[in-house]
Amino acid sequence: MGKWQLVKLKFGRSNVHFGELGIGIEESKERVRSDTLFSAWVSNYARLFGKKSVEELLEKFRQPKPPMRISSTFIYREPKSETSTKNDTIFYLPRPLKFPINYPHGGDLDSKKDDLAFFKTYKSLNYLPLNIWQRWYQGEGFTKEDAEELTDKTKGKLKEAGTFDYKEAFKNHKLPKIAIDRTTRATNFYHTGYVQFDWEQNSSGIKSLSGLYFLVYFEDNNPPLMSELKAALNLLGEQGIGGERSSGAGLFQSEWLDLKNASSTSSWENVVKPLDKSAYQCLISLFWDDDESILKQLITDNSHSNYEIQERGGWFSDGNIRRQMVRMFVEGSVFPIEPPGKLADVTPSEFKAHKIYRSGIGLSLPIKVQI
């Protein structure tokens, strides 16, 4: 029986710079995707335990049942009130690319005008609070009250749950930088984009009021491996994740929570439980696979799948060369079966020192959808 855990990344006052293909250095995303997290994590595992150990670990991840599956990171947010408890933490999940059950269509609403206003708001919600996500996609589904609240947005259960407050968890800003040419000493002025998560100063020091979290699924109970991976993640927190680490960006502290025992994640235990056989699967990680039989089941044989694909590339630090590009299914994609995924070999042809992998190992949650 596998084991689920939730990991919080607390950045405190540290800025982060999470670049993605095509957005430029002046912009920064607010979260890290599963392939980037996996690469950074494994790189620090190699620093701690050496080349032989990391090669053995990667070989385990190449097996049909890898030892660990991780989600992409998503936003969590805690209230500022000192009287609040951890149970008030809001965890955001990506909205599945299918309508929830009982979602109203056309004539089910009072008018075409209401339909348009409601639909625009619904489509703008890329991330949903955990309790709303669970109710819409695993529970009773969509209600008439939800449609009314999406049109109003100033009151009701959706407002109280933080459905419209996703962007209040962080702020985007830019810092000026100067680059100096090593040969000509000419200067170039530019800006770099950063994200700052919400924090506050209290009697105990700096408290992270928002940050990132991700889910981990361990295939087997392997305490030695878990201990090593936790140590590698701690080292990653000291080194920093993302770009601009030389400027102190991306530093974090990690907190591991057991879904079964941690009071702050009590509702998660029900979220990860399997549903009935008719349930679909919603990706909460990136996913890649080159097995034609699996891809055929996911997208060719089933017209009910809904998905988006994104190119993933980037530079490799050793030698400053580009990794091969791969196209991956993104979070929120919906399939009729669990998408397994695997490591993609993205080693550039001119790089001979060792293999370079990008993780397309999938992690998904069961959902009910409207067909």
Side-chain angles (χ1 to χ4, degrees):
M1 183 66 180
K3 181 178 182 180
W4 288 86
Q5 289 197 302
L6 182 147
V7 185
K8 279 183 170 181
L9 305 182
K10 302 178 179 181
F11 293 91
R13 297 179 62 180
S14 178
N15 292 316
V16 299
H17 176 82
F18 301 141
E20 287 196 7
L21 190 67
I23 69 171
I25 197 170
E26 290 194 9
E27 302 295 333
S28 174
K29 304 294 288 184
E30 74 275 9
R31 63 184 188 88
V32 174
R33 294 190 154 167
S34 57
D35 59 342
T36 301
L37 175 61
F38 182 88
S39 296
W41 198 347
V42 171
S43 293
N44 280 272
Y45 184 95
R47 290 190 179 98
L48 273 182
F49 302 107
K51 181 180 179 181
K52 181 179 179 181
S53 293
V54 77
E55 288 177 347
E56 292 175 352
L57 178 65
L58 287 172
E59 185 57 34
K60 292 178 181 178
F61 277 102
R62 293 179 52 128
Q63 302 306 309
K65 287 189 176 182
M68 177 183 73
R69 296 176 184 271
I70 62 173
S71 75
S72 294
T73 63
F74 304 106
I75 294 288
Y76 78 84
R77 182 171 175 238
E78 297 179 0
K80 294 184 178 181
S81 172
E82 294 182 358
T83 61
S84 65
T85 66
K86 286 188 176 181
N87 289 322
D88 296 315
T89 302
I90 301 172
F91 294 99
Y92 289 93
L93 276 173
R95 176 177 58 79
L97 297 177
K98 266 189 174 296
F99 293 123
I101 57 174
N102 303 322
Y103 177 88
H105 292 282
D108 295 334
L109 294 173
D110 294 335
S111 70
K112 190 67 176 178
K113 180 180 179 181
D114 290 338
D115 188 4
L116 181 61
F118 160 72
F119 181 73
K120 284 183 177 179
T121 304
Y122 173 85
K123 292 292 285 186
S124 70
L125 299 175
N126 295 319
Y127 303 94
L128 299 172
L130 177 62
N131 59 340
I132 302 300
W133 189 97
Q134 185 178 21
R135 177 165 65 82
W136 280 7
Y137 289 96
Q138 293 184 334
E140 64 179 301
F142 204 84
T143 66
K144 183 178 180 181
E145 289 73 23
D146 290 329
E148 294 171 352
E149 292 174 21
L150 283 174
T151 304
D152 189 329
K153 296 191 291 186
T154 61
K155 57 184 178 180
K157 294 181 179 179
L158 297 184
K159 176 65 176 178
E160 293 172 2
T163 305
F164 312 113
D165 301 334
Y166 176 79
K167 291 186 177 181
E168 292 186 17
F170 59 92
K171 295 180 180 178
N172 295 89
H173 65 280
K174 296 178 182 179
L175 292 179
K177 300 260 184 159
I178 296 178
I180 302 177
D181 188 279
R182 293 181 180 179
T183 304
T184 66
R185 311 303 295 174
T187 59
N188 179 39
F189 181 79
Y190 65 99
H191 286 85
T192 301
Y194 291 93
V195 168
Q196 174 75 68
F197 294 106
D198 198 12
W199 60 275
E200 69 176 4
Q201 179 92 42
N202 57 29
S203 57
S204 302
I206 300 297
K207 177 184 178 182
S208 293
L209 295 174
S210 66
L212 299 176
Y213 79 92
F214 63 95
L215 294 179
V216 185
Y217 178 75
F218 290 102
E219 187 66 39
D220 299 304
N221 187 20
N222 188 338
L225 178 59
M226 293 180 186
S227 179
E228 291 175 355
L229 288 169
K230 288 181 180 181
L233 188 66
N234 288 337
L235 178 60
L236 176 58
E238 295 172 0
Q239 299 289 325
I241 188 170
E244 302 298 315
R245 294 190 299 276
S246 61
S247 300
L251 305 178
F252 65 84
Q253 293 182 333
S254 59
E255 179 184 5
W256 290 71
L257 300 171
D258 193 307
L259 298 194
K260 187 174 182 179
N261 300 321
S263 60
S264 63
T265 57
S266 57
S267 57
W268 278 106
E269 189 179 2
N270 292 324
V271 169
V272 300
K273 282 183 179 179
L275 298 176
D276 57 49
K277 293 182 179 179
S278 64
Y280 277 56
Q281 295 289 324
C282 175
L283 267 180
I284 56 172
S285 70
L286 296 180
F287 163 68
W288 177 88
D289 209 310
D290 60 355
D291 189 321
E292 292 186 5
S293 63
I294 291 175
L295 295 175
K296 192 171 185 291
Q297 293 180 67
L298 289 173
I299 59 177
T300 307
D301 287 349
N302 198 297
S303 60
H304 297 306
S305 298
N306 285 68
Y307 55 87
E308 291 181 357
I309 294 175
Q310 184 182 84
E311 288 188 338
R312 303 292 291 170
W315 296 89
F316 181 61
S317 57
D318 292 359
N320 198 30
I321 55 178
R322 274 196 176 277
R323 291 170 287 189
Q324 292 186 35
M325 194 84 67
V326 291
R327 302 178 75 228
M328 293 186 166
F329 295 92
V330 303
E331 308 92 337
S333 296
V334 177
F335 302 107
I337 61 172
E338 288 189 38
K342 59 178 64 172
L343 297 183
D345 186 346
V346 294
T347 311
S349 58
E350 66 270 28
F351 188 79
K352 306 298 182 182
H354 57 78
K355 292 288 186 180
I356 303 173
Y357 295 101
R358 183 177 289 277
S359 177
I361 297 172
L363 185 63
S364 60
L365 296 174
I367 60 172
K368 302 175 184 177
V369 297
Q370 185 158 281
I371 304 302

